[in-house]
């Protein structure tokens, strides 16, 4: 579902350059929950942002659902991005919009008719358990509730892939558990492919099928979670 080939990302210019990713290869299969773990500065954030081209790779190929994204024109890229949802550590919600409107936002941008938007948003509110809170603003919500809004918004365009950028790092352990349970449920229900990055081992052990360890911009180890972490 996701294939990264020889992915390289260099920030800065010739005088002062930082190589965040160097020739990284990674394959994530359809329907799996794949975790990338590594220390701060290892390149996790750059990696996940390259998958939807929030960050332009310097070199290499990004394949999602059989389409290579780096060579697409603007319009085609916009279309393909609908297949890729993303959630963030700090939720990135619109503070002046209600829960309902935050979830509806991507559908409005896509020009979906209002009745269809309402049906979809209500379905998503139900899924993430926020029907009762749909008229509230982000500031009135707990961290876990905010992330539920983030998840609902990410699912609005029926993506094939969900990217999670340190999605539970700002949450307490109990809330983290409930969000990870929700991600598991969504993965099972929709056969959604999930790629998450984290610096927390327990997140990987809790929900991931396979894991890759990233170090200095490259994958240094990869395999099923039980094999990578339970070696003698
Ligand atoms: P992680 O998410 O694992 O902490 P990052 O992808 O954020 O790693 O960073 C990898 C490397 O790239 C680090 O050395 C970081 O300083 C550098 N880096 C990240 N973003 C930028 C940027 N916008 N400009 C310059 N350097 C950056
Ligand atoms: P605007 O054009 O001002 O962005 P709309 O004209 O789309 O807003 O009006 C729809 C409004 O109905 C939304 O702003 C939303 O707050 C409100 N609303 C709340 N709950 C629902 C719901 N379950 N179904 C439809 N609309 C809802």
């Amino acid at each position: 579902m996701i294939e990264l080939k020889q992915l390289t990302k260099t920030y800065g210019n010739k005088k002062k350059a930082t190589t965040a990713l160097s020739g990284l290869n990674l394959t994530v299969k359809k329907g799996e929950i794949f975790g990338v773990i590594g220390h701060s500065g290892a390149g996790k954030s750059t990696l996940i942002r390259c998958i939807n081209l929030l960050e332009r790779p310097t070199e290499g190929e990004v394949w999602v659902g059989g389409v290579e994204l780096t060579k697409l024109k603007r319009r085609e890229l916009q279309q393909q991005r609908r297949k890729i949802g993303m959630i963030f550590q700090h939720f990135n919600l619109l503070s002046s919009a209600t829960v309902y409107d935050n979830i509806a936002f991507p559908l409005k941008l896509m020009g979906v008719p209002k009745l269809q938007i309402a049906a979809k948003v209500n379905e998503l509110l139900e899924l993430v358990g926020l029907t009762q809170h749909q008229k509230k603003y982000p500031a009135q919500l707990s961290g876990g509730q905010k992330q539920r809004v983030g998840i609902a918004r990410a699912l609005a365009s029926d993506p094939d892939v969900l990217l999670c950028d340190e999605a539970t790092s700002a949450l307490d352990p109990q809330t983290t558990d409930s969000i990870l349970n929700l991600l598991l449920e969504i993965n099972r229900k929709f056969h959604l492919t999930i790629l998450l990055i984290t610096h927390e081992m327990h997140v990987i052990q809790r929900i991931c099928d396979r894991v890759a360890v990233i170090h200095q911009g490259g994958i240094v180890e990869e395999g099923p979670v039980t094999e990578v972490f339970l070696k003698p």
Side-chain angles (χ1 to χ4, degrees), residues 44-55:
K44 300 184 298 295
S45 182
T46 303
L47 166 65
I48 206 161
R49 291 166 60 83
C50 278
I51 296 173
N52 54 9
L53 298 202
L54 277 179
E55 209 68 78

Side-chain angles (χ1 to χ4, degrees), residues 89-90 165-172 176 197-200 203:
Q89 178 172 8
H90 298 295
D165 186 354
E166 297 277 5
T168 56
S169 298
L171 305 174
D172 63 63
T176 292
I197 62 166
T198 182
H199 62 277
E200 297 175 304
V203 168

Side-chain angles (χ1 to χ4, degrees), residues 18-139:
T18 307
T19 299
L21 302 175
S22 56
L24 181 143
N25 296 300
L26 190 69
T27 302
V28 179
K29 293 178 216 154
K30 182 167 169 51
E32 76 178 342
I33 305 184
F34 193 102
V36 176
I37 190 166
H39 294 299
S40 177
K44 300 184 298 295
S45 182
T46 303
L47 166 65
I48 206 161
R49 291 166 60 83
C50 278
I51 296 173
N52 54 9
L53 298 202
L54 277 179
E55 209 68 78
R56 274 259 159 208
T58 311
E59 276 175 62
E61 297 176 4
V62 177
W63 292 80
V64 178
V67 179
E68 211 279 284
L69 300 185
T70 68
K71 288 177 191 68
L72 295 182
K73 302 221 169 64
R74 217 179 122 89
R75 280 280 289 279
E76 297 168 314
L77 181 59
Q78 267 176 5
Q79 291 287 333
Q80 292 301 321
R81 271 191 177 138
R82 291 176 188 172
K83 296 188 194 164
I84 308 170
M86 188 163 182
I87 59 173
F88 305 88
Q89 178 172 8
H90 298 295
F91 323 120
N92 295 11
L93 303 179
L94 300 168
S95 59
S96 61
T98 61
V99 167
Y100 180 97
D101 285 336
N102 265 283
I103 300 170
F105 185 67
L107 297 169
K108 279 191 182 175
L109 286 185
M110 286 160 59
V112 174
K114 223 173 245 188
L115 274 177
Q116 227 169 297
I117 291 181
K120 187 70 192 179
V121 174
N122 286 323
E123 179 192 316
L124 289 165
L125 283 165
E126 186 86 17
L127 176 76
V128 302
L130 289 180
T131 304
Q132 270 73 18
H133 301 286
Q134 60 176 293
K135 296 211 167 91
K136 289 188 179 167
Y137 289 86

